[in-house]
């Protein structure tokens, strides 16, 4: 038991490393959006599609990866999926055609999305309920760590070696993470107590689970707007250097990582997941409102609120993700977490070109205002009323 207590942190670390590493290629490309435009010779909306093309594959692959994880465990899917993504990133270094880049990036997204499912199952399998908020916060830090690394590394690499150099870096870090996961990941020694028992029927008979999914789907809109077009806003509106703009988002990502862990600790101490998320949503509404004002007036508020928005709009992601997994139970966790991320990526895929068109035709403030509206709509959807305490094991039916 004591050995398992120590090993759980290694397992979590391997999951975090795999997700953070593949994040560079799956979600870090918008940080070099101006260079993507120049390299492929395309407009901003098309460059947005290229930068977010991995979401096409993520959209289709998350649920199948979740089903495979429920049957075969995390070691197989992380080693295989992240390793295949590395190979595809390497192939992309030889591609110059827009359609080919979109296709290969979509395939890389399908492969690398295994890390998005596997990491969540590690938390549910190796940690007890009173510890899962912090553990899931650390697991969710993988995204922000990956984005921070991408922000500090990819723009300088792009300036020195172009987009092929960026893709080569993405391939190298993904390959290393895949090898480590394949060699050292292990299944949990037992089923962790306190997780809701697998339901006799689909967990989707619970309205609460649908509301958790819907909350995340709405709240991903401002996240995508800020993450995808934040750097181009600083470059185009405020005339920042692309490297400095990327560094600002790197610092914001580090702050976001700390915020996710703190929010996880908050939820563990309270035993609640959705009530803290509702409070965070209110804070995000304030920041996004000031962001719209700042970019509309082109004042100093714009860069400051872009950095804060990059932090606060992702701070509560782990709470919704954890709530979905706990509602699913161990027998359904992979599929439900896969579905949760699929819905988020479906919205992200639709929002990216639409936000690009809105920004091009109206202005950056309009794109951020659309995110503000979706964040506001999510507030009454959050299933915080009557939420059961995670510290209290459910009574057997």
């Amino acid at each position: 038991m004591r050995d398992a207590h120590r090993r759980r942190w290694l397992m979590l670390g391997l999951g975090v490393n795999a997700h953070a590493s593949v994040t560079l290629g799956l979600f870090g490309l918008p940080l070099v959006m101006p260079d993507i435009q120049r390299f492929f010779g395309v407009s901003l909306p098309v460059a947005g599609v290229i930068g977010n093309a991995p979401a096409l594959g993520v959209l289709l692959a998350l649920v199948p990866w979740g089903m495979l994880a429920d049957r075969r465990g995390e070691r197989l899917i992380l080693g295989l999926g992240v390793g295949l993504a590395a190979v595809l990133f390497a192939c992309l270094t030889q591609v110059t055609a827009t359609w080919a880049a979109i296709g290969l990036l979509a395939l890389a997204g399908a492969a690398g999305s295994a890390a998005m499912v596997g990491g969540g199952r590690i938390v549910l399998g190796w940690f007890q309920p009173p510890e899962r908020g912090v553990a899931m916060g650390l697991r969710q830090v993988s995204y922000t760590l990956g984005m921070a690394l991408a922000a500090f590394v990819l723009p300088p690499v792009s300036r020195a070696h172009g987009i092929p150099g960026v893709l080569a870096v993405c391939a190298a870090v993904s390959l290393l993470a895949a090898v480590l996961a394949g060699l050292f990941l292990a299944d949990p020694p037992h089923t962790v107590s306190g997780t809701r028992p697998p339901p006799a029927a689909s967990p989707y008979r619970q309205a609460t689970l649908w509301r958790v999914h819907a909350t995340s789907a709405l709240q991903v809109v401002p996240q995508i707007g800020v993450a995808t077009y934040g750097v181009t806003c600083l470059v185009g509106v405020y005339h920042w250097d692309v490297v400095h703009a990327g560094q600002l988002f790197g610092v914001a990502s580090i702050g976001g990582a700390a915020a996710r862990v703190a929010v996880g600790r908050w939820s563990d101490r309270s035993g609640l997941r959705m009530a803290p998320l509702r409070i965070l949503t209110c804070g995000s509404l304030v920041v996004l409102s000031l962001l719209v004002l700042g970019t509309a007036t082109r004042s100093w508020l714009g860069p400051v609120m872009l950095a804060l928005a990059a932090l606060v709009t992702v701070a509560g992601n782990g709470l919704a993700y954890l709530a979905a997994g706990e509602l699913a139970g161990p027998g359904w966790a992979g599929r439900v977490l896969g579905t949760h991320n699929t819905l988020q990526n479906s919205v992200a895929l639709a929002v990216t070109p639409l936000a690009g068109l809105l920004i091009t035709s109206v202005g950056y403030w309009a794109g951020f205002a659309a995110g503000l509206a979706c964040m506001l709509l999510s507030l009454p959807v959050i299933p915080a009323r009557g939420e059961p305490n995670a510290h209290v094991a459910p009574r057997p039916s």
Side-chain angles (χ1 to χ4, degrees):
M1 182 64 70
R2 183 172 297 178
D3 180 61
H5 183 82
R6 291 194 298 265
R7 290 183 69 202
R8 62 184 182 161
W9 295 107
L10 173 62
M11 300 302 109
L12 180 61
L14 290 169
V16 167
N17 181 58
H19 192 185
S21 298
V22 81
T23 291
L24 270 72
L26 298 192
F27 302 106
L29 296 182
L31 293 167
V32 291
M33 189 76 72
D35 292 335
I36 290 176
Q37 281 186 264
R38 286 190 290 270
F39 183 78
F40 290 102
V42 295
S43 65
L44 179 62
V46 176
V49 172
I50 295 172
N52 286 278
L56 289 165
V58 171
L59 178 66
L60 299 176
L62 280 168
V63 174
W65 279 125
M67 295 174 68
L68 183 60
D70 285 337
R71 290 171 171 80
R72 301 295 299 273
E74 293 77 31
R75 181 178 183 177
L76 173 68
I77 69 166
L78 289 183
L80 178 62
V82 178
L84 181 56
V87 172
L88 289 163
F89 289 138
C91 293
L92 275 157
T93 62
Q94 307 302 313
V95 168
T96 57
T98 300
W99 65 269
I102 292 174
L104 286 175
L105 282 170
L107 290 174
S113 63
M116 300 169 67
V117 174
R121 290 188 85 257
I122 289 171
V123 172
L124 294 170
W126 283 88
F127 290 84
Q128 299 287 346
E131 304 166 320
R132 287 185 190 146
V134 170
M136 189 62 80
L138 289 168
R139 183 267 174 195
Q140 292 292 95
V141 160
S142 57
Y143 172 81
T144 50
L145 286 178
M147 290 301 293
L149 181 61
F152 285 112
V153 172
L154 297 189
V157 169
S158 183
R159 171 170 288 181
H161 303 287
I163 296 300
V166 167
L167 293 166
V169 169
C170 295
V173 295
S174 295
L175 180 60
L176 177 60
V179 170
L180 291 174
L183 289 177
F184 299 112
L185 260 177
D187 292 327
H190 57 79
T191 300
V192 178
S193 64
T195 302
R196 299 182 182 195
S202 168
Y204 284 104
R205 294 188 177 187
Q206 306 172 73
T208 300
L209 181 54
W210 286 106
R211 291 178 65 182
V212 171
H213 285 336
T215 297
S216 289
L218 287 167
Q219 294 196 359
V220 82
V221 175
Q223 294 174 35
I224 290 298
V226 170
T228 302
Y229 298 109
V231 168
T232 55
C233 177
L234 291 174
V235 173
V237 175
Y238 294 96
H239 309 295
W240 283 39
D241 178 81
V242 66
V243 174
H244 293 152
Q247 288 172 345
L248 177 69
F249 273 80
V251 172
S253 293
I254 293 171
R260 287 180 188 231
V261 177
V263 166
R265 177 59 178 159
W266 176 16
S267 76
D268 280 343
R269 295 191 67 173
S270 67
L272 302 173
R273 314 302 185 195
M274 294 293 96
L277 180 60
R278 183 170 56 185
I279 295 172
L280 286 171
T281 300
C282 293
S284 296
L285 289 171
V286 174
V287 171
L288 290 169
S289 298
L290 292 174
L291 173 59
V292 172
L293 176 63
T295 51
T297 59
R298 301 196 173 195
S299 71
W300 60 270
L301 270 176
V304 173
M305 291 304 138
L306 268 174
L308 284 177
L311 189 158
V312 300
T313 58
V314 302
N317 276 1
L319 297 181
Y321 193 74
L322 177 55
E326 289 180 332
L327 287 166
W332 279 81
R335 282 164 283 185
V336 168
L337 294 178
T339 300
H340 187 84
N341 277 330
T342 296
L343 292 172
Q344 284 188 302
N345 282 277
S346 298
V347 174
L349 188 62
V351 164
T352 297
L354 292 176
L357 290 171
L358 186 60
I359 289 168
T360 302
S361 59
V362 181
Y364 282 95
W365 70 268
F368 299 140
L372 170 63
C374 289
M375 184 67 76
L376 183 61
L377 287 173
S378 75
L379 194 58
V381 179
I382 300 171
R385 180 174 298 178
E387 178 184 6
N389 194 297
H391 295 169
V392 180
R395 295 179 181 179
S397 56

